[in-house]
Amino acid sequence: MNSVKSIVVLTGAGISAESGIKTFRADDGLWENHRVEDVATPEAFERDPWLVQKFYNERRRPLLSSSSLDQKSLEQEIRPNPAHKALAKLEAEFDGDFLLVTQNIDNLHEQGGSQNILHMHGEVLKMRCKSTENVFDCFNDIQVADLCDCCGEANNLRPHIVWFGEMPLYMDEIALAISNCDLFVSIGTSGNVYPAAGFVQMANQAGAQTIEINLEESLVASNFDQAVYGKAGEVLPIWVDDFLLSQPKK
Ligand code: NAD
């Protein structure tokens, strides 16, 4: 590959699949046995905050460090897989600009060693005050009756998650990075969820090379210059090593 100066990587649920986190559109079309409309919309939170808090509490627990886990949660602990680690290696060894944009709400990229990362759909290890929009770390379950640290009100804390119908985070920063990149790599995302599914077209307009790495063709596969199909944990480490060999040393 020609010498590259700036990389943007987009990841989706598929990169965390081999760590044991179910993708969004697994065979049954449900997310962890729930309809998306029941757990991932602002309307669902208005209607049934107990169910929504419980759903994200259950997503949060296996990501917490071993010291804070009880025995049952420890058995379910989720760890980064070779694909997360390969992206951390790419960032550490690539001699140029690097931005990782993830749609994932887990912290497996951070656990795997990635540094420059934007969670465009929020983070399950954070919570937000509905009144002030202040964002806090969250390493415990959130209960509906919990009092908010900043406003002291009950029923005012929500998971710091971008739900369907809400505006993704960091869009200006992401658009700027894509417009300046010369390589765009999309990993483990189905191309169902916009605006992320449109990033490849933005990269094409910027003249970047575009590569899809996924288990199967995504809905936007035809927009990419190249594709590598397989499990991210198997194919991504090989792709990263080949790419780094093709580039000048740091
Ligand atoms: P998606 O579930 O719609 O698609 C996942 C894609 O990954 C599919 O194309 C699938 O073929 C592919 N895939 C599955 N296993 C793979 C593997 N081992 N290696 C490579 N590819 C694999 O996911 P999406 O496009 O990210 O959209 C889902 C939305 O749901 C996102 O907004 C995200 O925030 C949310 N979500 C997040 C998580 C998480 O944080 N880990 C998990 C589920 C859903």
Side-chain angles (χ1 to χ4, degrees):
M1 188 176 289
N2 293 341
S3 174
V4 170
K5 293 189 174 56
S6 176
I7 304 175
V8 174
V9 175
L10 171 70
T11 62
I15 198 165
S16 295
E18 289 157 77
S19 295
I21 300 184
K22 283 195 184 147
T23 60
F24 188 43
R25 284 175 185 77
D27 299 338
D28 50 10
L30 300 175
W31 187 4
E32 300 280 359
N33 301 324
H34 293 276
R35 293 186 324 143
V36 170
E37 300 80 4
D38 295 337
V39 291
T41 63
E43 294 77 19
F45 190 57
E46 281 298 309
R47 204 169 45 237
D48 194 345
W50 291 269
L51 175 70
V52 174
Q53 297 287 20
K54 179 171 174 283
F55 177 79
Y56 288 99
N57 288 341
E58 285 167 1
R59 308 282 77 71
R60 186 178 305 112
R61 271 181 226 139
L63 296 168
L64 297 170
S65 68
S66 310
S67 57
S68 56
L69 291 175
D70 57 27
Q71 189 55 40
K72 182 161 175 273
S73 307
L74 250 178
E75 283 156 19
Q76 298 165 349
E77 192 181 5
I78 285 168
R79 309 292 303 158
N81 69 55
H84 297 103
K85 291 182 183 160
L87 285 183
K89 177 178 179 180
L90 176 62
E91 180 175 9
E93 297 186 16
F94 170 63
D95 189 16
D97 294 332
F98 180 92
L99 175 64
L100 174 55
V101 178
T102 187
Q103 299 168 84
N104 294 344
I105 59 173
D106 65 54
N107 68 343
L108 294 181
H109 284 305
E110 285 87 346
Q111 284 196 45
S114 289
Q115 306 275 330
N116 194 21
I117 169 165
L118 295 177
H119 283 268
M120 64 180 287
H121 291 165
E123 296 170 68
V124 75
L125 294 187
K126 294 196 171 152
M127 60 188 174
R128 189 164 85 230
C129 171
K130 288 198 295 182
S131 302
T132 64
E133 301 283 310
N134 283 340
V135 175
F136 305 93
D137 288 336
C138 178
F139 303 123
N140 293 301
D141 288 358
I142 311 177
Q143 306 300 344
V144 173
D146 284 349
L147 301 184
C148 172
D149 270 353
C150 66
C151 67
E153 296 288 327
N155 200 15
N156 233 12
L157 287 167
R158 58 165 280 178
H160 183 49
I161 302 291
V162 176
W163 286 321
F164 285 90
E166 298 183 319
M167 183 64 84
L169 306 170
Y170 311 112
M171 287 308 293
D172 290 346
E173 245 170 298
I174 294 168
L176 183 65
I178 294 176
S179 67
N180 287 320
C181 79
D182 46 11
L183 176 61
F184 175 79
V185 188
S186 172
I187 305 163
T189 176
S190 61
N192 272 293
V193 180
Y194 281 81
F199 289 171
V200 61
Q201 281 167 308
M202 291 166 62
N204 283 328
Q205 279 159 15
Q209 296 178 73
T210 53
I211 302 178
E212 165 163 285
I213 298 176
N214 208 38
L215 202 53
E216 60 199 1
E217 282 195 3
S218 74
L219 285 183
V220 291
S222 62
N223 290 323
F224 288 87
D225 299 322
Q226 290 176 46
V228 180
Y229 293 120
K231 289 185 172 180
E234 293 169 7
V235 299
L236 188 60
I238 297 169
W239 183 86
V240 165
D241 284 347
D242 288 349
F243 171 77
L244 287 170
L245 275 175
S246 75
Q247 298 297 304
K249 292 266 170 292
K250 201 167 187 176

